[in-house]
Amino acid sequence: SLYSFIGTSAAAPHVAGVAALMLQAAGGPGSLDGPTVDGILQETAPPRDLDPLYSNATGASASGYVSVTALGRAYDLNNFLTISYVGSSKNSIDSLTLDGSKAGLTFLTQVADPTPTVGDTIGIKPGDLEILPNTGTDQTKLTLKFKPGTFVAGASVGFTVTLRTSNLAALYYEQSPTADTFGFGATFTARLSGTYPDTITAGFQNQMGTGYNPADGYGLVDAYGAVQAALGLKKASPLAAVGR
């Protein structure tokens, strides 16, 4: 399974305790029904990533669109990262550099590290792609080079590479680098040649907001926010004015 629910047995009594505080704030037993309690808990949950294990960066210019998608975990899939190009038939991508410095990402491509792996390709041969090994002390960038004229419009290539992150927020939420880690500030720069030489840059994004997702349901419970919302219902109720 992609998603693991750790600590659920502890979460249940904690939520029950919050529900009890909500009932107390709203006026006591019977003051709130089950759907109302459930709705308040959902509505007061703070924003978080709504598309877990997924992040995307899409850059546009007059010569077209370059998109890089991260999916899952680096050690799960050969297509952890996928590069796609939609644009002028007279252009092609010469190189693409991922920059993970702001996201605290390092790309491990030294001899002792697992070799980067090319996954599925469309319109381009695996041999047309070279993943350059990092040299020196800066491991925060990864460059892919393509044979001239091979990465044309409609082509795509998937690959995976071993990652490490120093981003404390990413480690807190995910324990290890996943596709979401790129959304903490990673970018790409693609260089195109042909009739319209161009450079396209874009940053990775995670979809942040409230609502349901398969990884955590409706997210973390905000005990204070839920109790304050329940208290607000009591103050707004006409029955509260007659001393119920």
Side-chain angles (χ1 to χ4, degrees), residues 2-235:
L2 286 175
Y3 308 113
S4 298
F5 292 88
I6 300 173
T8 304
S9 58
H14 280 82
V15 173
V18 174
L21 292 173
M22 292 167 61
L23 290 170
Q24 182 183 46
S31 57
L32 300 175
D33 58 21
T36 300
V37 171
D38 190 38
I40 291 175
L41 292 173
Q42 293 177 19
E43 292 168 5
T44 55
R48 80 277 188 229
D49 190 358
L50 293 181
D51 52 0
L53 299 180
Y54 177 87
S55 185
N56 173 263
T58 298
S61 74
S63 57
Y65 300 85
V66 176
S67 175
V68 182
T69 297
L71 177 66
R73 302 178 180 89
Y75 53 79
D76 285 340
L77 305 167
N78 287 340
N79 300 304
F80 173 60
L81 292 159
T82 299
I83 305 170
S84 304
Y85 172 48
V86 178
S88 170
S89 61
K90 298 180 180 180
N91 268 28
S92 62
I93 300 177
D94 286 340
S95 67
L96 186 141
T97 298
L98 295 167
D99 185 343
S101 55
K102 291 184 179 179
L105 280 172
T106 53
F107 301 92
L108 308 182
T109 62
Q110 301 298 314
V111 175
D113 299 317
T115 303
T117 304
V118 178
D120 297 335
T121 61
I122 297 176
I124 186 173
K125 299 176 181 178
D128 294 332
L129 160 65
E130 181 183 8
I131 302 176
L132 301 183
N134 284 322
T135 58
T137 57
D138 185 5
Q139 308 290 304
T140 62
K141 297 179 178 62
L142 179 71
T143 297
L144 296 82
K145 294 192 69 175
F146 305 93
K147 288 184 179 179
T150 60
F151 203 146
V152 295
S156 68
V157 59
F159 68 99
T160 190
V161 62
T162 304
L163 298 174
R164 181 180 294 135
T165 182
S166 61
N167 187 297
L168 295 179
L171 286 172
Y172 178 80
Y173 285 108
E174 299 166 359
Q175 306 304 312
S176 63
T178 69
D180 299 317
T181 313
F182 283 79
F184 285 90
T187 63
F188 79 77
T189 299
R191 303 190 185 282
L192 290 75
S193 63
T195 305
Y196 311 104
D198 207 349
T199 298
I200 297 178
T201 299
F204 285 83
Q205 301 291 328
N206 292 321
Q207 183 185 351
M208 307 302 291
T210 58
Y212 176 83
N213 77 42
D216 63 5
Y218 285 89
L220 296 173
V221 168
D222 180 350
Y224 180 80
V227 171
Q228 289 301 304
L231 182 61
L233 288 180
K234 176 183 178 181
K235 292 180 178 178

